Amino acid sequence: MIPAKDEVERIAATVDAVHKIAGVDLVVVVDDGSTDGTAAAAERAGAVVVRHERNKGKAAAMETGAAAVAERDGARARHLLFLDADLTDSATGAEPLIEPVMSGRADMTIGTLPAQVRADGSKAGGHGFVVRLAREGIEQATGWAPEQPLSGQRCLTRDAFDAAVPLASGFGVETALSIDLGRKGFRILEVPIDVRHRATGTDLRGQLHRGRQFLHVRRALAARSALPSRKPGR
């Protein structure tokens, strides 16, 4: 399942790649209020497309996508593989997320990605303060400190997903998923995967993005009484 907003340049390649992953028999794209041709491009690539007329955010897109999958399930509910829309050809690298869930070794897998770089070769990301906040909040809530707590590349059983609904809004959704499922005893496993997404840099746009992430993650932690008792990284 792929939440997408204004990804017309990348969504078709991502859908094509996901179709090649062993075990995937249905690709659903939720067009979350795009103003470009994302929906049409995804349909041409062979995805089932569900559209939000206005942007509702990633959590709402994930819930909409999961509902669309459920409508097409047979006697046995499908597992849910969530991937970012901008992975393009590298999305095939997410395949290792599936086996631990299929075999019953995990209820949710989280992809850990290699270091990401921007198109110009510069280092992606900021100073890690959002990652530290999420990691320390998850550790305080569950006793487990994930390597990449903000990774959106995840595979879940239907039971695990349903246990986490309603999802936390905004950029807090991944942090909240780990806390909510961890507290309920679901087994979570990080799995190295080789995927590449469009990475943000340290320019103003990237800093604003991380500022929003920080606020959303903090809100999700506060709602779960999981704010770290000390400043992240200290």
Side-chain angles (χ1 to χ4, degrees), residues 50-100:
V50 185
R51 180 168 169 77
H52 290 166
E53 291 302 319
R54 61 178 178 82
N55 180 248
K56 295 183 179 181
K58 186 174 184 179
M62 291 171 69
E63 292 182 8
T64 295
V69 172
E71 291 176 357
R72 293 161 175 82
D73 281 341
R76 183 177 180 181
R78 288 179 172 89
H79 299 316
L80 301 171
L81 176 66
F82 292 97
L83 298 175
D84 291 343
D86 62 354
L87 300 181
T88 62
D89 295 344
S90 77
T92 56
E95 186 169 326
L97 292 173
I98 298 175
E99 190 280 331

Side-chain angles (χ1 to χ4, degrees), residues 34-231:
S34 295
T35 57
D36 60 7
T38 294
E43 285 182 342
R44 287 194 298 269
V48 172
V49 176
V50 185
R51 180 168 169 77
H52 290 166
E53 291 302 319
R54 61 178 178 82
N55 180 248
K56 295 183 179 181
K58 186 174 184 179
M62 291 171 69
E63 292 182 8
T64 295
V69 172
E71 291 176 357
R72 293 161 175 82
D73 281 341
R76 183 177 180 181
R78 288 179 172 89
H79 299 316
L80 301 171
L81 176 66
F82 292 97
L83 298 175
D84 291 343
D86 62 354
L87 300 181
T88 62
D89 295 344
S90 77
T92 56
E95 186 169 326
L97 292 173
I98 298 175
E99 190 280 331
V101 177
M102 292 287 290
S103 67
R105 292 193 293 119
D107 302 299
M108 177 171 72
T109 52
I110 303 172
T112 57
L113 282 60
Q116 304 286 297
V117 296
R118 303 185 75 188
D120 62 4
S122 62
K123 179 182 176 182
H127 303 293
F129 63 95
V130 186
V131 171
R132 288 193 295 271
L133 174 65
R135 179 184 296 124
E136 293 183 9
I138 293 169
E139 183 176 19
Q140 180 162 301
T142 69
W144 170 62
E147 178 184 344
Q148 293 187 15
L150 302 180
S151 174
Q153 324 314 314
R154 301 187 178 215
C155 186
L156 297 81
T157 65
R158 170 62 67 168
D159 285 345
F161 182 83
D162 289 345
V165 173
L167 303 179
S169 62
F171 296 112
V173 62
E174 289 87 7
T175 300
L177 263 174
S178 295
I179 291 175
D180 294 345
L181 295 184
R183 281 176 165 172
K184 292 178 179 179
F186 287 92
R187 297 160 300 165
I188 304 172
L189 178 67
E190 286 189 302
V191 178
I193 58 173
D194 188 12
V195 303
R196 312 280 171 169
H197 62 79
R198 183 179 57 248
T200 57
T202 56
D203 56 8
L204 178 59
R205 182 177 179 181
Q207 296 294 349
L208 290 173
H209 171 73
R210 279 180 286 281
R212 289 192 297 272
Q213 275 189 313
F214 183 89
L215 292 175
H216 292 182
V217 168
R218 192 180 191 283
R219 182 174 62 199
L221 293 175
R224 289 157 178 79
S225 301
L227 279 174
S229 54
R230 59 195 177 94
K231 291 183 178 180

